[in-house]
Amino acid sequence: MVLLHGFKEYSALLFYKGALLKDPKKILIQQTENVQAGRQIRFINLAEINQLEVMYWKR
């Protein structure tokens, strides 16, 4: 399950059981120390999304 969050400082894609995903480039972060399984990718602007796309998904 994936959720899209919009906050004042950033937007994020939240992966409900993100701790189980392989993340060799370490782009998934733990929301808070109390969240065990969920991981998220945070974005501040479109340039960050494009940079991650090139870095992570394109070979």
Side-chain angles (χ1 to χ4, degrees):
M1 179 186 295
V2 177
L3 302 170
L4 180 60
H5 286 213
F7 298 101
K8 186 176 181 179
E9 300 292 324
Y10 62 89
S11 294
L13 283 176
L14 172 69
F15 298 89
Y16 182 67
K17 293 202 175 192
L20 301 176
L21 297 173
K22 293 179 183 176
D23 185 25
K25 299 202 181 193
K26 306 295 184 209
I27 64 169
L28 297 173
I29 60 171
Q30 190 172 357
Q31 288 176 275
T32 66
E33 62 185 45
N34 296 325
V35 175
Q36 298 300 315
R39 297 292 184 269
Q40 64 178 214
I41 302 173
R42 293 182 180 176
F43 305 102
I44 296 173
N45 56 44
L46 184 58
E48 288 184 355
I49 295 170
N50 291 334
Q51 181 182 16
L52 283 171
E53 179 184 20
V54 169
M55 180 183 77
Y56 198 72
W57 285 283
K58 292 185 180 178
R59 294 178 183 200

